[in-house]
């Protein structure tokens, strides 16, 4: 839905399918200048993907989070390694721990630089080629996305 104009801005004539009844409130024009809108959220993610090849390449390791409410993965391309963590639920989550094997980093402690999302991050420790029960952000807000770069 492009705007609050008649027919949601798709056409000046009646389309073959009716527009959704919420077109006056939910449309691109209404979200363009709102930094908290879904449109802005996706624009930021698209810009981040263009800037960081790891988000668009095939290198991905799905991580264990101990819960189906949290998705986590490592994305990598050449020397860049990113951690993506998503709260898939409508409630805040703090009872998750991320673990994974076959991590493509040398053993040691790594700071995480936040590229997308809010909250202070905790350092990650790689030991024996594994990420052990790690919580990068103490609390994940509902439906939040966090993208962090290993430094």
């Amino acid at each position: 839905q492009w705007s609050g104009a008649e027919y949601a801005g798709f056409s000046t004539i009646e389309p073959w399918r009716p527009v959704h009844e919420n077109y006056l409130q939910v449309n691109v024009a209404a979200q363009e200048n709102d930094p908290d809108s879904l449109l802005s959220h996706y624009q930021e993610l698209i810009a981040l993907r263009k800037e960081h090849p790891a988000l668009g390449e095939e290198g991905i390791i799905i991580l264990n989070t101990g819960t189906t409410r949290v998705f986590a993965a490592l994305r990598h391309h050449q020397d860049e390694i990113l951690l993506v963590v998503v709260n898939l639920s409508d409630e805040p989550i703090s009872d998750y721990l991320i673990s994974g094997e076959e991590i493509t980093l040398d053993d040691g402690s790594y700071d995480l630089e936040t590229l997308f999302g809010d909250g202070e991050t905790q350092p990650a420790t790689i030991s024996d080629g594994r990420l052990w029960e790690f919580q990068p952000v103490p609390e994940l807000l509902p439906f939040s996305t966090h993208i962090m770069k290993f430094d």
Side-chain angles (χ1 to χ4, degrees), residues 5-25:
E6 188 174 26
Y7 309 124
F10 285 119
S11 175
T12 56
I13 59 172
E14 186 173 357
W16 65 279
R17 293 186 70 184
V19 297
H20 195 279
E21 60 191 35
N22 70 359
Y23 79 94
L24 292 172
Q25 297 81 26

Side-chain angles (χ1 to χ4, degrees), residues 4-145:
E6 188 174 26
Y7 309 124
F10 285 119
S11 175
T12 56
I13 59 172
E14 186 173 357
W16 65 279
R17 293 186 70 184
V19 297
H20 195 279
E21 60 191 35
N22 70 359
Y23 79 94
L24 292 172
Q25 297 81 26
V26 181
N27 61 67
V28 172
Q31 294 185 23
E32 279 183 317
N33 296 316
D34 180 358
D36 296 324
S37 70
L38 185 60
L39 177 66
S40 292
H41 180 83
Y42 278 102
Q43 287 173 329
E44 288 179 53
L45 287 174
I46 290 167
L48 196 61
R49 183 176 180 194
K50 287 179 180 179
E51 187 179 337
H52 295 276
L55 292 172
E57 296 295 326
E58 67 281 349
I60 186 169
I61 299 170
I62 306 298
L63 302 170
N64 182 2
T65 63
T67 175
T68 57
R69 300 176 305 149
V70 176
F71 169 82
L74 286 179
R75 300 295 313 255
H76 55 89
H77 175 72
Q78 296 176 356
D79 291 337
E80 181 178 65
I81 299 179
L82 305 180
L83 173 63
V84 178
V85 181
V86 182
N87 179 351
L88 302 170
S89 79
D90 61 356
E91 297 178 0
I93 296 176
S94 57
D95 62 342
Y96 73 100
L97 292 171
I98 296 173
S99 299
E101 298 180 20
E102 302 176 26
I103 306 303
T104 56
L105 289 165
D106 294 330
D107 286 0
S109 181
Y110 294 85
D111 289 329
L112 295 173
E113 174 191 351
T114 298
L115 301 177
F116 188 87
D118 295 323
E120 281 201 35
T121 60
Q122 306 301 312
T125 301
I126 307 296
S127 176
D128 297 326
R130 294 189 63 183
L131 188 60
W132 298 88
E133 297 186 339
F134 166 59
Q135 192 176 61
V137 179
E139 182 177 69
L140 303 172
L141 296 178
F143 300 116
S144 62
T145 300

